[in-house]
Amino acid sequence: MAIDRKQQIIDSASNSFSLYGYKATTIDQVAKMANVGKGTIYTFFKNKEELFDEIVNRLIKEMKRVADESVDPSQSFYENVHRALYKLLEFRKEHQLTIKLSQEARDLGTPAVIEVMTKMETAIINYIKDKVILAVQKREIKECDPEMTAFIMMKLYIAFIFDWEKKHKPLEKEEISELFEFYIFKGLSI
């Protein structure tokens, strides 16, 4: 029964954070949405920050699962990193909580939200970094700084998926794949 209540609280808090953002969500709101008393929430979580952290950690685990499911061991590093990045950023773009948190970080600069967005970005970079290290070991790609390479790959994808479409027609998945291959794997040299 306690597990069900805890999950009910987490689901309600996630819904509240998705609708109202971190700053505007209160424990009172979460209690009403979960149909529990505030005291019940405090039996599971010390405060709103701890509840938020639990939700974000679950979100990061879900993002990792989505990326892992997109990887095909029979495919090349390039193909797998493309698929994983695309799925991760597609997940972030379509998941209501990440959309709301991105808006709040940008518009209000809420420190707790900025910290969470950084945590999510770090999780993505670390995921890619592990794949880069493995690709170097397998001699699929040249020796490189894995963290820097992961950072550049992620930022390039963000630019293709989010930034480009602010002033241009959104790129198709195939176009993104071709551009990513061109700039990362082939380069501009003749």
Side-chain angles (χ1 to χ4, degrees):
M1 190 67 152
I3 304 264
D4 292 341
R5 282 257 165 95
K6 183 176 181 180
Q7 189 58 51
Q8 189 177 343
I9 291 164
I10 290 168
D11 291 344
S12 295
S14 183
N15 189 30
S16 184
F17 290 133
S18 296
L19 291 171
Y20 309 112
Y22 174 79
K23 199 170 192 170
T25 292
T26 65
I27 291 294
D28 285 329
Q29 276 178 317
V30 174
K32 284 179 187 170
M33 290 175 87
N35 202 24
V36 299
K38 276 174 49 174
T40 303
I41 294 174
Y42 292 119
T43 62
F44 297 107
F45 304 98
K46 280 190 300 191
N47 50 36
K48 179 172 97 169
E49 292 76 21
E50 190 175 280
L51 177 57
F52 187 55
D53 197 46
E54 173 79 17
I55 290 165
V56 169
N57 287 334
R58 288 177 180 219
L59 184 64
I60 290 170
K61 283 180 187 168
E62 177 69 10
M63 289 173 73
K64 186 177 181 327
R65 185 191 60 72
V66 165
D68 283 342
E69 286 177 358
S70 72
V71 171
D72 179 352
S74 69
Q75 296 292 318
S76 69
F77 166 75
Y78 156 73
E79 183 60 34
N80 279 324
V81 89
H82 166 68
R83 292 162 63 148
L85 272 169
Y86 192 84
K87 284 292 185 188
L88 282 169
L89 296 175
E90 194 174 64
F91 178 91
R92 276 181 61 182
K93 192 175 181 180
E94 294 174 2
H95 197 279
Q96 188 58 41
L97 178 57
T98 60
I99 293 169
K100 189 65 174 177
L101 293 177
S102 293
Q103 289 171 343
E104 185 170 339
R106 183 188 65 234
D107 298 344
L108 302 177
T110 307
V113 174
I114 291 171
E115 184 180 318
V116 160
M117 297 309 289
T118 301
K119 186 176 181 179
M120 287 172 59
E121 185 174 290
T122 300
I124 293 170
I125 290 171
N126 286 335
Y127 181 87
I128 300 164
K129 181 174 113 178
D130 291 343
K131 303 299 179 200
V132 169
I133 290 168
L134 190 60
V136 167
Q137 290 169 351
K138 290 179 168 181
R139 299 194 181 277
E140 289 185 82
I141 61 173
K142 295 177 186 177
E143 282 282 333
C144 60
D145 179 320
E147 187 172 359
M148 179 68 71
T149 302
F151 175 81
I152 290 167
M153 287 178 165
M154 187 196 68
K155 290 298 187 179
L156 184 58
Y157 249 83
I158 288 171
F160 287 151
I161 293 175
F162 297 109
D163 299 335
W164 178 260
E165 67 183 46
K166 288 177 185 172
K167 294 183 179 175
H168 304 87
K169 178 181 163 265
L171 298 167
E172 296 295 323
K173 187 176 180 180
E174 296 76 28
E175 291 175 294
I176 293 169
S177 179
E178 289 169 10
L179 288 166
F180 191 75
E181 181 179 16
F182 177 75
Y183 288 110
I184 295 291
F185 292 101
K186 292 181 179 173
L188 296 172
S189 296
I190 296 177

